[in-house]
Each structure stands twice: as structure tokens, then as C-alpha cells.
């Protein structure tokens, strides 16, 4: 371990060779650190750190000795296990990409540990890539221009638990302001999380274009997300896609509120909250027998077209496939699925549902 300043000069490389490096002081890395999937870095510094050039790590653990610190990437980094053990700490991607292959976990306190796409000098093009089965928990994602999280490997499973995705995308994301996948056979699990204030062309918060995708949502809130073509919160485009929405397992409701699709377009706009556009797609909306307050709700979602095209499906739109809504059975008599104040408007007068 290093308690003082670790300096790696330009042109020099520190090889971790399967070992774990603990840094309690300052890292001055003008060269590079050669890691591997079996090596790690533990940061316990009391000051902010620029990591310099590091390509691959088995683990990165940030346990700062002070609050409100920022840790900066200075190169693209692939890491299997990431832990940020302070709720006021920010990992700033700084214009570079972070690829996760295992898990990333923060901690709760007065807020969330944060992964931020912000960059002052290197362009706001940072993204988090998911390669394999990855679990995210107790993290906040903020200040991303492109999709904050992109699933890049077919067959991957992304599980998001107790996270806040508020990436603040400025509309440069074509698909999925928070989460996007173009590959097939992926699964996205969202539980006890909030996804809000996302902006994209299609699928304001989440968009998938690959086939055979599954999105499972429970006990979570999608609020104030927007798109300019379809799916204010969620849009799926691939065939045989399935979206399952339920209340959470701990008496928590699932809510889609104030999501919108809005533009002046000669094309039809659709799905204020959810749009399923691929063939043979299925939307299942069900409830678990938890409490009378446990509901799946769609409220204040909208589609507005000020052009010559139509506005369709203030809450939900499905081109091909089926929508299943289950409520009121003996096992689920104390729960509900509610739709309220969802609306469509079109300057052409062609407003449907």
C-alpha cells in the first residue's frame, strides 16, 4: 500500500501482476497502470484522485477518508467489481467509458454514491457499458448526454436495485436516455428504483431494439421522462419482446407519471408511457397481494403531436402482440391497476386513446 504520493512518470508502467494496490494518499499517474481481471485497486485517500491510464481491473474499491470527493477516470476502464463506499462520493467518467462485467455497488447516506458522465474538458460522451450479467445497486447516475447505460453483449442480464437514474440527457440520445440495448436476448430487471428526467428520441428512459428481450419492473417509479417519437418511458422495437410490470415485494407501488411523447411531426407519435412496436410483443401488468396501497399506476402520461400526424395511446401503445392486465383475483384482491389523466392531442385532429 501507499500512504503518501504514488507517482508514475510519463512512459512508465506499473504492473499490478494480479495484486491489489491500496492508495491512501495521492495518485500522480502520468504513465499507466497495467491491471488484469485478477488485480485490484483500493482507494482510501482523503483527497480527490485522477486515476490516469488504467485499462482493466478485477476490482475497484473507493472508500474515501473524507466526504464530497470526486474521483476521475482518465482513460476507458473495464472493471468486474466496483464499490463506492461513501454516499457523497462521485466517480466522474470525465469523457471516458466505464465497462462493467460483474457488479457496481454504492451506499446510501444523505444521498447516493454517484457515477457521473460529466466532463469539463473531454466532451460529454461518457457511457457505462454492460458486458455480461451485471448487478447495480445503491447508485445514482447523473450528467450523461448519451444513454447512461448501454448493454453491449447479447444475452446479458442487467439488474438495477435501489438506484436513482436521473441522467439529465439533453436529447442527443436516439434511444433510451437511461438504458439502451441493441443486442438480442437480454434481460433488464428494475426494482425499488427511480428513473426520471430522461430524454431521447425513442424510449425516454429505456429502449431496446434487439429481439427476444425481457424487461421486468417492480416497485419502481418512472417520472417525467420524454421522447420525440414513441415510448415516453419505455420503447421496445425487437420482435418477441416482453415487458412485465408489478408492484414490489415490500409493499411498494410501481408508477408511471408525467411521461410524454411530444413533437411536431407528419408521422404518428405513440405511447406516452410505454410503446411496444415489434411483432409478437407482450406487456403484462399484474399486482402482488401485498397491501391495499400497492398499485401499478399510469397517471398524467401524454402524447402530443402539433404536426399533421396522429397521437396514439396516452399511456400505452402496442403495434402487434398482446396486453395482459391482471387484477382483482382472490390472490390479488387488495391490489389494483389504475389509469388516470392520461391523454392524447393532435393538431390534425387524429388523436386515438
Amino acid at each position: 500500500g501507499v500512504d503518501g504520493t504514488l507517482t508514475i512518470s510519463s512512459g512508465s508502467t506499473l504492473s499490478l501482476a494480479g495484486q491489489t494496490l491500496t492508495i491512501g494518499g495521492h495518485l500522480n499517474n502520468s504513465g499507466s497502470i497495467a491491471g488484469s481481471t485478477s488485480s485490484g485497486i483500493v482507494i482510501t485517500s482523503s483527497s480527490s484522485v485522477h486515476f490516469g491510464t488504467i485499462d482493466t481491473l478485477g476490482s475497484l474499491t473507493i472508500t474515501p477518508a473524507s466526504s464530497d470527493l470526486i474521483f476521475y477516470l482518465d482513460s476507458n476502464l473495464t472493471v468486474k467489481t466496483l464499490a463506492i463506499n461513501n454516499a457523497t462520493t462521485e466517480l466522474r467518467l470525465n469523457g471516458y467509458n466505464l465497462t462493467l462485467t460483474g457488479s457496481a455497488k454504492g451506499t446510501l447516506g444523505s444521498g447516493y454514491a454517484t457515477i457521473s458522465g460529466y466532463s469539463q474538458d473531454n466532451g460529454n460522451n461518457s457511457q457505462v457499458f454492460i458486458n455480461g450479467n451485471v448487478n447495480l445497486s445503491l447508485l445514482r447516475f447523473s450528467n450523461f448526454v448519451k444513454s447512461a447505460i448501454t448493454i453491449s453483449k447479447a444475452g446479458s442480464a442487467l439488474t438495477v436495485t435501489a438506484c436513482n437514474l436521473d441522467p439529465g440527457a439533453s436529447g442527443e440520445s436516439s434511444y433510451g436516455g437511461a438504458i439502451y440495448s441493441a443486442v438480442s436476448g437480454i434481460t433488464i430487471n428494475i426494482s425499488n428504483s427511480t428513473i426520471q428526467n430522461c430524454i431521447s428520441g425513442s424510449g425516454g428512459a429505456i429502449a431496446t431494439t434487439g429481439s427476444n428481450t425481457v424487461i421486468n419492473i417492480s416497485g419502481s417509479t418512472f417520472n417525467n421522462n420524454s421522447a420525440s417519437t414513441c415510448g415516453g418511458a419505455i420503447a421496445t422495437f425487437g420482435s418477441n419482446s416482453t415487458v412485465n410490470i408489478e408492484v414490489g415485494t415490500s409493499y411498494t407501488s410501481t408508477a408511471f407519471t408525467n411521461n410524454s411523447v411530444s413533437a411536431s411531426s407528419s408521422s404518428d407519435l405513440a405511447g406516452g408511457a410505454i410503446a411496444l412496436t415489434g411483432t409478437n410483443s407482450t406487456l403484462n401488468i399484474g399486482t402482488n397481494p401485498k397491501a391495499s396501497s400497492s398499485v401499478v399506476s399510469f397517471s398524467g402520461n401524454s402524447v402530443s403531436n402539433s404536426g399533421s400526424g396522429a397521437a396514439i395511446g396516452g399511456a400505452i401503445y402496442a403495434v402487434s402482440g398482446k396486453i395482459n392486465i391482471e387484477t382483482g383475483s382472490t390472490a390479488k384482491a387488495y391490489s389494483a391497476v389504475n389509469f388516470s389523466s392520461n391523454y392524447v392531442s393532435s393538431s390534425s385532429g387524429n388523436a386515438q386513446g
Side-chain angles (χ1 to χ4, degrees), residues 164-189:
N164 185 328
L165 279 70
D166 188 354
S170 62
E172 293 187 26
S173 172
S174 297
Y175 296 94
I179 301 172
Y180 170 58
S181 174
V183 295
S184 298
I186 62 99
T187 300
I188 300 172
N189 303 305

Side-chain angles (χ1 to χ4, degrees), residues 150-177:
T150 297
I151 301 173
S152 55
K153 182 180 180 181
S156 295
L158 171 64
T159 298
V160 179
T161 306
C163 288
N164 185 328
L165 279 70
D166 188 354
S170 62
E172 293 187 26
S173 172
S174 297
Y175 296 94

Side-chain angles (χ1 to χ4, degrees), residues 35-39 56-59 78 80 101:
S36 68
T37 57
S38 60
S39 59
T56 302
L57 288 172
S59 63
T78 297
K80 182 177 181 180
T101 63

Side-chain angles (χ1 to χ4, degrees), residues 112 138-142 160 162-166 193-196:
Y112 290 82
L138 301 175
L139 289 166
R140 177 174 180 257
F141 290 78
S142 69
V160 179
C163 288
N164 185 328
L165 279 70
D166 188 354
S193 295
T194 298
I195 304 181
Q196 60 187 354

Side-chain angles (χ1 to χ4, degrees), residues 279-351:
T279 58
N280 299 317
S281 296
T282 303
L283 172 61
N284 298 310
I285 305 175
T287 55
N288 290 325
K290 293 300 177 186
S292 59
S293 61
S294 294
V295 299
V296 175
S297 63
F298 293 82
S299 176
N301 305 290
S302 63
V303 180
S304 178
N305 192 343
S306 58
S308 59
I312 308 172
I316 297 170
Y317 171 75
V319 173
S320 171
K322 55 187 177 181
I323 300 173
N324 301 313
I325 299 177
E326 182 180 5
T327 183
S329 66
T330 300
K332 302 179 180 183
Y334 297 102
S335 298
V337 177
N338 294 334
F339 291 84
S340 65
S341 303
N342 303 291
Y343 66 93
V344 293
S345 65
S346 173
S347 295
S348 68
N350 190 357

Side-chain angles (χ1 to χ4, degrees), residues 227-238:
S228 56
T229 60
C230 66
I234 298 172
T236 65
F237 293 89

